[in-house]
Amino acid sequence: MHVVMFGDQHAETLGGAQVSMRLQRRFLEKAGHTVTIVAPAMHGARAREAGAADPSYLDLPSIPITLDREYAMTWPGRRTDRWLDAALRRLIADTGRTRVDVVHVQADFWGAYIGHRFARRHGLPVVHTMHNRVDVGIEATAPFPGLVLRVLNAWQRRALGVFVEGKPVGRDGWAYLRRFAGRSDAVTAPSSHFARRLEGHGVVPGGRRAVAPHLDAPPTGPAVDVIWNGIDDDLLDEVLAAAPDAKALRGDATPRGAASVTGVSDESARLSARAPGPPRFVWLGRMSPEKRLLPFLEALAASGVDADVEIIGGGGQLRAARRLVEKLRPRATVTFAGRMPYARTLRRIAAADAVVQTSIGFETQGMTIFEAASLGTPAVVSDPDLAAELGAGFWAVGEGGVTTGHDADPSVDALADALRAAASDITAGTPRVPDPTIRERFRQSSRTAAMLAVYARVTA
């Protein structure tokens, strides 16, 4: 099977969706399939380093859209259509790839427009993975979000050739996602809570090949497939093998394919395996308002905890974050580690006592806390939806606990309280323990098998 994926950003740039696309490609290829990833070309020094000679990357002509030149965009339209069709024909001729079987859109903006246009031109089935809450993201990052959404909906209608709609779809973020879903043969989401929210707002597949995936029950209409973004099996095993013994003794201590001898964790061995020193927290992600790095730093100072805190990532709020630390002078030691390769990031998560997740209502899965749980590292979780999906092994922020997003507490005081509780438990040797089943359920091999079942359904 030849799968053509479309992204808003090049797969080698920073971002959870990009990490997921790289993993999906690798494991699809391991299973004997062919993957071509279509996305805007990169710019700057990293463009010369990443994927320059990789035939699986089809880089569209683009312009940089951020000051650091990390991200770019390609304008959707006839010129791009012609360029893409010609480039793909050359790629197939040069590499001997088979004809395209399925289009997998993993984008929200220009990448999605270009992908849907390509599928329509060539009569191909479309699987659309909804990675983001568009409405929440725009509200958190743009002035006049209502106006931005109206403009975005208008751009989408023009790009998709929608000039008249049989029934009003709307102009908000959900209407925007509904138009994509209505042109898709399957819609997938990276978490149960996001899938149910999509279905509740009518974001369900409407393509001619769309069918309800639950074939063992009377169909009530097309539904959203839940397929987590996963973690590289080999990399997970490598990081676990190199991690302190404590990691193997948190939750499921049994290696893959081995039998448990005692059936219980050796608490004294786990405690002795932890390196001495204050609690070690890791915050990682894009430094932008919706990720709430600045409120985290404020809460860290307010908490008064004695801890080592590592901030991994980059973005527009880096300078503001550094200035805030200098101003507040928290008791904790804060290190800005910058961007890291994925493997090194996982090793830092494995070495930490807890990962801190601070965004609310924005994440559709929250990859970081699942990566942490797979590595035996608990988390401080601000978003109740993510906490519910995680199941165990976390300190919830706020009094609402784990119910719905309406119970999320965005206050600095609530986050400070959670940091104190986590630091206290870690120091006492009684940290929260992640759900041991996540380690296996989160492996990319299992996620790829689930996605292949979706591909088979829409191409049948």
Side-chain angles (χ1 to χ4, degrees), residues 187-427:
V187 173
T188 74
S191 66
S192 297
H193 75 265
F194 188 42
R196 301 295 82 80
R197 191 163 283 156
L198 289 168
E199 291 171 349
H201 286 87
V203 184
V204 294
R208 63 185 183 277
R209 301 175 182 85
V211 296
H214 308 294
L215 300 180
D216 56 340
T220 58
V224 175
D225 291 275
V226 179
I227 301 179
W228 286 359
N229 296 318
I231 190 171
D232 187 317
D233 297 41
D234 298 334
L235 187 54
L236 173 61
D237 291 335
E238 176 187 324
V239 174
L240 285 170
D245 290 343
K247 293 298 181 182
L249 292 167
R250 288 181 185 169
D252 181 9
T254 308
R256 299 185 80 198
S260 173
V261 176
T262 64
V264 297
S265 296
D266 185 340
E267 183 69 10
S268 61
R270 183 182 66 77
L271 294 179
S272 64
R274 181 186 179 271
R280 292 175 289 278
F281 293 112
V282 168
W283 185 100
L284 64 155
R286 183 175 60 254
M287 296 179 183
S288 52
E290 74 277 5
K291 298 292 187 176
R292 301 182 68 241
L293 171 60
L294 302 186
F296 164 62
L297 295 173
E298 292 174 359
L300 182 65
S303 71
V305 297
D306 179 17
D308 290 332
V309 178
E310 187 172 31
I311 309 294
I312 301 174
Q317 289 193 321
L318 175 58
R319 290 184 180 179
R322 290 183 182 276
R323 288 196 299 267
L324 189 59
V325 171
E326 292 172 1
K327 175 185 175 182
L328 298 178
R329 297 188 178 278
R331 185 183 178 195
T333 300
V334 179
T335 302
F336 290 91
R339 295 186 173 105
M340 291 183 182
Y342 185 55
R344 186 181 174 197
T345 299
L346 291 180
R347 288 193 288 270
R348 299 310 302 151
I349 293 173
D353 292 308
V355 162
V356 183
Q357 180 275 324
T358 49
S359 62
I360 296 174
F362 178 76
E363 310 292 346
T364 53
Q365 178 181 1
M367 280 283 289
T368 300
I369 59 176
F370 283 87
E371 289 162 340
S374 297
L375 295 166
T377 301
V380 175
V381 183
S382 297
D383 190 322
D385 280 337
L386 302 187
E389 192 92 13
L390 197 58
F394 60 87
W395 294 268
V397 174
E399 297 298 326
V402 181
T403 50
T404 69
H406 296 295
D407 295 319
D409 189 339
S411 69
V412 168
D413 288 344
L415 183 51
D417 288 343
L419 290 172
R420 290 190 200 99
S424 176
D425 289 348
I426 292 165
T427 301

Side-chain angles (χ1 to χ4, degrees), residues 74-86 113-114 117 120-121 158-159 161 163:
T74 296
W75 190 263
R78 293 177 182 173
R79 179 179 296 180
T80 297
D81 293 344
R82 290 193 296 269
W83 191 98
L84 171 58
D85 287 350
Y113 306 158
I114 295 167
R117 288 170 67 102
R120 183 178 61 189
R121 285 195 308 280
R158 181 178 179 85
F163 301 105

